[in-house]
Amino acid sequence: MNTAFYEEWKQKRVNKIVNIFGSDWFAFKNVLELGACYGDIGYEFIKLGSNVTFVEGRQSNISILKKRLNSKHIRPNVLCLDQNQPYSFNLKYDLVLHLGVLYHLENWQQDLTCAINHAKMMILETVVSTTKNELAEPGIATTYGNDSKYTGLTEKSVVPTQEEIEQHLINSNCKFVRLDTADLNTSWSWSDETQIRHVYDWKYRNIHLYTNPSFPKSILHYRRMWLILI
């Protein structure tokens, strides 16, 4: 995994979230991070005073998460959970972080409903499809390093559209603000030959770039982020 890319991806999202709420807001808040992987994002909010519960589906990731946070003298609260299955903790968190997970799942509607049921507010971020009911394509996994153990994508994973997600939020009686501005974009490379971009503003100021016939579409990951009020 490209470390420079990951740090850029992480920091842009952390900065966006902190700018929305203000750094002081996080003190003593209960935060749930779904699909936490190694806990790097949740740790940023621990530093701001939040009580973070990490949810991760892979025991190998949980072991690394605990080791990393233990080295910082933190005993993390970690739950092992398969988000392809329904879940309930009988708790409402001040903030649920649902970043880069939804499109890996076989039933994104079920998972999103479960997440909503645990949240007072949520930050949701995901790849979106431009075509309804598009199955996850092998190219998506390839652009993430051709490692299905990392991507989590399966032949049953469905990448939802922006409109499908927003309709699900409306049906769930949620209010939301879509955050799709250029400050969330990332630009990085897996190799000297391949450039990959996460793009949030493809309908806006940079449309001339993304519609350029010489710009290879296979390297674009169309993404969206929402602030959701439950």
Side-chain angles (χ1 to χ4, degrees), residues 85-137:
Q85 303 300 321
Y87 54 90
S88 176
F89 310 136
N90 296 316
L91 290 172
K92 281 273 190 178
Y93 293 84
D94 295 305
L95 181 64
V96 171
L97 301 175
H98 197 309
L99 308 177
V101 180
L102 198 69
Y103 64 101
H104 296 301
L105 303 173
E106 296 176 9
N107 188 338
W108 66 266
Q109 296 98 328
Q110 172 184 272
D111 178 77
L112 186 52
T113 296
C114 288
I116 288 169
N117 290 339
H118 289 85
K120 297 177 183 177
M121 291 186 285
M122 178 162 54
I123 296 289
L124 173 66
E125 193 273 350
T126 181
V127 168
V128 293
S129 171
T130 57
T131 305
K132 187 176 181 180
N133 295 326
E134 178 183 357
L135 293 176
E137 297 178 352

Side-chain angles (χ1 to χ4, degrees), residues 2-184:
N2 187 300
T3 303
F5 148 69
Y6 177 71
E7 285 301 317
E8 182 187 14
W9 186 93
K10 180 192 78 173
Q11 204 56 53
K12 284 192 175 231
R13 278 139 199 80
V14 169
N15 291 346
K16 188 75 169 180
I17 296 167
V18 173
N19 287 339
I20 290 170
F21 294 98
S23 58
D24 292 341
W25 181 88
F26 292 93
F28 307 109
K29 291 296 191 296
N30 293 316
V31 176
L32 178 70
E33 184 185 5
L34 296 169
C37 194
Y38 302 150
D40 298 317
I41 291 178
Y43 173 61
E44 297 297 320
F45 297 101
I46 289 177
K47 291 193 295 185
L48 294 175
S50 295
N51 303 308
V52 179
T53 298
F54 300 91
V55 169
E56 171 55 38
R58 296 182 177 89
Q59 284 290 352
S60 57
N61 289 348
I62 289 175
S63 296
I64 295 171
L65 186 158
K66 288 182 176 179
K67 184 177 180 180
R68 287 185 175 183
L69 293 187
N70 286 343
S71 70
K72 303 177 189 297
H73 308 290
I74 297 170
R75 289 180 174 268
N77 182 20
V78 187
L79 302 174
C80 185
L81 176 71
D82 178 3
Q83 286 182 238
N84 282 309
Q85 303 300 321
Y87 54 90
S88 176
F89 310 136
N90 296 316
L91 290 172
K92 281 273 190 178
Y93 293 84
D94 295 305
L95 181 64
V96 171
L97 301 175
H98 197 309
L99 308 177
V101 180
L102 198 69
Y103 64 101
H104 296 301
L105 303 173
E106 296 176 9
N107 188 338
W108 66 266
Q109 296 98 328
Q110 172 184 272
D111 178 77
L112 186 52
T113 296
C114 288
I116 288 169
N117 290 339
H118 289 85
K120 297 177 183 177
M121 291 186 285
M122 178 162 54
I123 296 289
L124 173 66
E125 193 273 350
T126 181
V127 168
V128 293
S129 171
T130 57
T131 305
K132 187 176 181 180
N133 295 326
E134 178 183 357
L135 293 176
E137 297 178 352
I140 295 177
T142 300
T143 58
Y144 276 91
N146 198 24
D147 182 355
S148 61
K149 292 181 180 179
Y150 166 61
T151 65
L153 288 169
T154 73
E155 61 182 10
K156 295 181 181 179
S157 299
V158 175
V159 182
T161 65
Q162 166 190 303
E163 291 77 14
E164 288 173 317
I165 291 172
E166 293 185 349
Q167 188 59 56
H168 189 86
L169 295 175
I170 291 169
N171 294 344
S172 302
N173 297 316
C174 296
K175 297 180 180 179
F176 58 88
V177 177
R178 190 191 322 128
L179 309 169
D180 50 9
T181 51
D183 60 321
L184 281 165

